[in-house]
């Protein structure tokens, strides 16, 4: 008979991450840009004390184990304290995306049954719009001192600092089951209502540990981490946890995510690692290029959420010496599921080939398995060519949505709705979302590949490709382009440029120049809006 291992059985808990950070890296800094006032600066040890004070405050508000605390907040130190205080004390931290439509926000606050909502003063108008529709919320708490707590008509607002002040910085974290719910996040719900994913302490801890691996984001006490990815969506890729596990200095950017503000913070705080969606890096690079700046300490940046254009990867690497770690994940995968993770052989490749490799979404990290399947669910070969739906399973992948009766899995795997290939070496490449792929004459055209090709044109600031109904071919690609300031080129030049880079039948049927593209709450181009607007351009 197989003997049982004779090891301790200690649960993986979020409170343990905080205690570890405070005990081993107590003097490490957390720097936070605030909505009001100068940069706020304190240590992991201060963070732990205040998280305990807030845990006490939550108990005084009468919350019971499993009660849900919502947040509508930027990446800042009080939000970080709440991350630890709420989950650590056995409550559920429900991060809400402030860029959701107010109706969706109301839906998720009610569906999650939030009893307390924490918010930044910036979002006071939003609170005014939603509060009367959220009858279960007993306490609206502004993440500020009394002086900056706004009056919100019809809503009793409490100040976070006033709640905290009378509480002792001592709190006995409960010994929870590691499988219990710690945090809750809803998908953006571009189709239908948002769906909630309830992350366990175990899932978050394992995912955060994985962030620390050298092949993932290499978070250690030698690094200074700037998570631009919002704490209100997908746990900021677990970086607020990974930084305390690894002992890294944590820099929180608050509300200012424009290129100039981020560059200034990176330089003054000597940031070495960052993470965010491609649109953020486009804004940053534009600022750096226009002002002839450089990066003094930045070594690498994690990018995901949508495909990072190859041209931008090349620029970061070749011009600015910043390595791009291109990853893939979704609300349902807690944080990172795949990452570029280059081998020594990849590193030795000529720059062009190395960038091609990084433009793919990479290898699954340990703890996550991937495969692609055809429409009948049969596993496709890992040949880098066969495309099918990407399926994932692993220790931090959703099993069922919050309050859903049935499992979300198909034969034990989560269907992602993304179309991908996997190479013999295990490198996954997202070709499209099932709803975005262009079906032309019975063949598929990858909108991501086309966008990548267009983004390589020196005058293109942003590009999006959608499939538009076509009388003969079913669908044909339409390219929408935002030109860089001062760039002068017309449609034909761009089409000729693309003709040299993609198969002839992939070349878009038309190009529309626009001033901007609609970007949604998580930094992605809203293709459904574009389809609504331009969906009949080839049939009319
Ligand atoms: P939603 O946009 O529906 O809210 P998420 O924020 O959870 O969902 O985003 C998950 C989706 O984002 C993935 O299913 C995938 O389509 C896309 N995505 C994430 N990372 C990448 C990437 N590196 N390249 C291309 N697409 C990506």
């Amino acid at each position: 008979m197989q003997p049982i291992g004779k090891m301790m059985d200690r649960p993986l808990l979020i409170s343990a991450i905080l205690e570890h950070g405070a005990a081993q890296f107590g003097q490490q800094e957390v720097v936070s840009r605030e909505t009001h006032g100068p940069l706020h600066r304190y240590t992991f040890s201060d963070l732990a004390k205040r998280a305990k004070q807030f845990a006490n405050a939550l108990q005084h508000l009468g919350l019971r184990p499993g009660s849900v605390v919502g947040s509508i907040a930027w990446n800042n130190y009080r939000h970080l304290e709440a991350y630890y205080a709420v989950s650590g004390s056995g409550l559920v931290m429900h991060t809400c995306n402030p860029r959701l439509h107010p109706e969706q926000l109301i839906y998720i606050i009610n569906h999650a049954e939030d009893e307390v909502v924490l918010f930044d003063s910036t979002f006071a108008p939003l609170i005014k719009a939603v509060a009367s529709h959220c009858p279960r919320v007993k306490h609206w708490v502004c993440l500020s001192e009394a002086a900056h707590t706004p009056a919100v008509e019809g809503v009793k607002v409490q100040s976070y600092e006033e709640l905290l002040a009378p509480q002792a910085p001592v709190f006995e974290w409960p010994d929870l089951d590691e499988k219990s719910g710690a945090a809750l996040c809803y998908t953006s719900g571009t189709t239908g209502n948002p769906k909630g994913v309830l992350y366990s302490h175990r899932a978050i801890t394992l995912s955060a540990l994985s962030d620390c691996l050298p092949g993932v984001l290499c978070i250690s006490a030698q690094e200074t981490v700037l998570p631009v990815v919002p704490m209100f969506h997908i746990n900021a890729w677990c970086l607020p946890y990974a930084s305390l596990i690894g002992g890294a200095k944590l820099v929180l950017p608050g509300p200012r995510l424009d290129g100039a503000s981020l560059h200034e913070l990176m330089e003054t705080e000597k940031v070495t690692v960052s993470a965010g969606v491609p649109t953020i890096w486009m804004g940053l690079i534009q600022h750096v290029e226009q002002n002839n700046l450089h990066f003094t300490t930045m070594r690498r940046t994690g990018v995901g959420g949508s495909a990072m254009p190859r041209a931008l990867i090349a620029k970061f690497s070749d011009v600015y010496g910043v390595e791009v770690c291109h990853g893939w994940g979704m609300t349902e995968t807690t944080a990172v599921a795949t990452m570029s993770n280059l081998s020594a052989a990849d590193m030795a490749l000529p720059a062009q080939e190395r960038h091609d490799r990084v433009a793919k979404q990479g290898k699954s990290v340990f703890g996550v398995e991937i495969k692609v399947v055809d429409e009948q669910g049969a596993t496709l070969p890992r040949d880098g060519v066969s495309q099918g739906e990407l399926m994932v399973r692993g220790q931090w992948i959703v099993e069922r949505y919050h309050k859903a009766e049935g499992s979300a899995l198909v034969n034990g795997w989560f269907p992602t709705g993304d179309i991908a290939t996997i190479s013999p070496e295990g490198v996954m490449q997202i070709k499209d979302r099932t709803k975005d792929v262009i079906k032309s004459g019975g063949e598929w055209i990858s909108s991501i590949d086309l966008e990548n090709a267009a983004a390589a044109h020196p005058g293109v600031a942003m590009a999006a490709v959608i499939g538009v109904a076509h009388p003969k071919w079913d669908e044909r690609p339409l390219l929408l382009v935002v030109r860089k300031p001062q760039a002068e080129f017309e449609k034909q030049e761009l089409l000729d440029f693309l003709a040299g880079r993609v198969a002839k039948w992939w070349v878009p049927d038309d190009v529309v120049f626009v001033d901007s593209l609609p970007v949604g709450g998580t930094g992605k181009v809203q293709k459904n809006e574009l389809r609504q607007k331009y969906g009949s351009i080839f049939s009319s």
Side-chain angles (χ1 to χ4, degrees):
M1 207 178 70
Q2 193 69 35
I4 299 290
K6 299 288 183 288
M7 310 309 284
M8 289 187 197
D9 186 11
R10 300 278 301 144
L12 298 168
L13 295 179
I14 286 173
S15 55
I17 299 177
L18 180 67
E19 290 301 330
H20 169 77
Q24 300 307 321
F25 307 101
Q27 293 316 301
Q28 186 58 283
E29 270 188 308
V30 178
V31 180
S32 170
R33 184 171 260 157
E34 296 301 291
T35 305
H36 305 281
L39 286 183
H40 178 274
R41 218 172 261 285
Y42 70 176
T43 64
F44 284 4
S45 157
D46 300 323
L47 161 67
K49 282 188 199 135
R50 282 175 49 94
K52 288 174 189 176
Q53 281 181 283
F54 190 50
N56 281 319
L58 289 167
Q59 296 228 318
H60 272 81
L61 292 180
L63 299 188
R64 297 278 155 269
S67 293
V68 184
V69 176
S71 69
I72 309 177
W74 300 115
N75 294 10
N76 57 37
Y77 74 100
R78 293 187 181 101
H79 201 184
L80 182 69
E81 290 164 5
Y83 254 50
Y84 284 104
V86 173
S87 305
S89 63
L91 310 173
V92 175
M93 180 79 195
H94 169 207
T95 54
C96 303
N97 185 342
R99 298 184 188 126
L100 286 181
H101 190 276
E103 266 173 31
Q104 287 189 326
L105 208 50
I106 292 167
Y107 172 83
I108 66 171
I109 290 174
N110 288 329
H111 188 264
E113 302 182 37
D114 293 357
E115 292 178 40
V116 175
V117 171
L118 313 169
F119 66 96
D120 280 342
S121 56
T122 335
F123 301 119
L126 199 54
I127 300 303
K128 182 168 176 244
V130 304
S132 63
H133 303 281
C134 303
R136 276 176 179 274
V137 179
K138 295 190 211 93
H139 304 277
W140 299 90
V141 178
C142 182
L143 290 168
S144 66
E145 56 278 8
H148 290 122
T149 298
V152 181
E153 197 190 315
V155 186
K156 182 173 171 256
V157 177
Q158 290 160 278
S159 138
Y160 178 86
E161 290 301 331
E162 282 196 335
L163 281 178
L164 215 73
Q167 304 299 335
V170 190
F171 187 87
E172 195 71 33
W173 301 114
D175 241 336
L176 305 166
D177 180 340
E178 65 178 18
K179 294 197 182 101
S180 53
L184 177 61
C185 179
Y186 283 73
T187 60
S188 310
T190 35
T191 49
N193 275 329
K195 295 193 280 278
V197 180
L198 182 58
Y199 310 105
S200 61
H201 284 257
R202 173 184 161 83
I204 287 179
T205 307
L206 291 173
S207 178
L209 267 170
S210 162
D211 276 355
C212 298
L213 289 173
V216 185
L217 286 167
C218 194
I219 307 298
S220 75
Q222 295 176 18
E223 307 290 354
T224 296
V225 180
L226 171 70
V228 183
V229 284
M231 289 169 69
F232 58 68
H233 195 60
I234 329 186
N235 315 301
W237 299 355
C238 284
L239 285 170
Y241 308 108
S243 299
L244 271 82
I245 292 177
K249 174 175 163 182
L250 191 53
V251 181
L252 301 171
R256 285 164 52 190
L257 306 179
D258 58 285
S261 305
L262 290 177
H263 184 262
E264 183 202 309
L265 204 51
M266 285 172 174
E267 290 298 305
T268 54
E269 293 306 320
K270 300 191 169 50
V271 171
T272 58
V273 188
S274 190
V277 293
T279 39
I280 290 286
W281 305 130
M282 287 173 200
L284 179 66
I285 280 289
Q286 269 191 23
H287 169 77
V288 168
E289 276 184 331
Q290 276 164 11
N291 296 284
N292 217 2
L293 303 169
H294 64 279
F295 297 100
T296 315
T297 52
M298 270 287 287
R299 282 200 280 268
R300 65 183 164 281
T301 187
V303 189
S306 51
M308 177 74 160
R310 191 192 167 287
L312 209 53
I313 294 170
K315 191 163 281 175
F316 263 106
S317 162
D318 300 347
V319 182
Y320 296 104
V322 176
E323 182 200 350
V324 171
C325 307
H326 190 187
W328 169 90
M330 56 199 309
T331 311
E332 290 86 342
T333 69
T334 308
V336 176
T338 73
M339 188 50 94
S340 29
N341 197 355
L342 301 192
S343 65
D346 295 326
M347 292 301 285
L349 289 171
Q352 297 302 321
E353 288 172 46
R354 207 173 63 243
H355 303 327
D356 287 340
R357 166 71 170 77
V358 177
K360 297 176 180 158
Q361 283 71 11
K363 294 180 175 241
S364 62
V365 298
F366 176 72
V368 176
E369 294 166 77
I370 53 173
K371 65 174 182 179
V372 285
V373 299
D374 66 15
E375 278 164 18
Q376 284 69 45
T379 303
L380 291 167
R382 289 185 164 217
D383 56 9
V385 183
S386 306
Q387 326 193 354
E389 182 167 14
L390 177 66
M391 312 286 283
V392 281
R393 72 175 179 196
Q395 280 132 10
W396 53 90
I397 309 298
V398 72
E399 190 272 326
R400 68 187 60 205
Y401 290 102
H402 188 43
K403 295 186 174 173
E405 300 259 303
S407 168
L409 308 187
V410 177
N411 299 326
W413 293 74
F414 177 73
T416 63
D418 284 340
I419 294 168
T421 57
I422 304 178
S423 77
E425 297 77 35
V427 178
M428 187 271 285
Q429 180 174 17
I430 297 280
K431 291 295 191 179
D432 239 318
R433 294 191 116 175
T434 28
K435 58 182 192 288
D436 292 340
V437 72
I438 301 155
K439 295 168 192 99
S440 176
E443 302 280 349
W444 285 359
I445 299 176
S446 155
S447 66
I448 295 183
D449 283 354
L450 271 179
E451 286 158 9
N452 245 321
H457 186 282
V460 171
M462 261 179 112
V465 175
I466 54 167
V468 171
H470 189 280
K472 181 164 176 206
W473 300 110
D474 197 9
E475 280 182 350
R476 287 296 300 157
L478 171 72
L479 170 61
L480 295 118
V481 166
V482 182
R483 290 191 190 93
K484 281 189 184 160
Q486 277 102 45
E488 282 178 24
F489 61 97
E490 294 305 326
K491 181 165 43 177
Q492 199 53 46
E493 179 186 329
L494 190 55
L495 290 176
D496 292 345
F497 179 83
L498 289 175
R501 285 173 166 73
V502 298
K504 209 168 146 214
W505 62 279
W506 277 39
V507 175
D509 282 24
D510 204 355
V511 181
V512 176
F513 291 100
V514 290
D515 293 337
S516 64
L517 288 167
V519 174
T522 50
K524 291 172 224 232
V525 173
Q526 299 299 87
K527 292 200 178 173
N528 47 346
E529 273 186 41
L530 295 175
R531 279 191 285 263
Q532 263 173 24
K533 192 159 173 194
Y534 298 101
S536 54
I537 198 167
F538 298 150
S539 35
S540 51

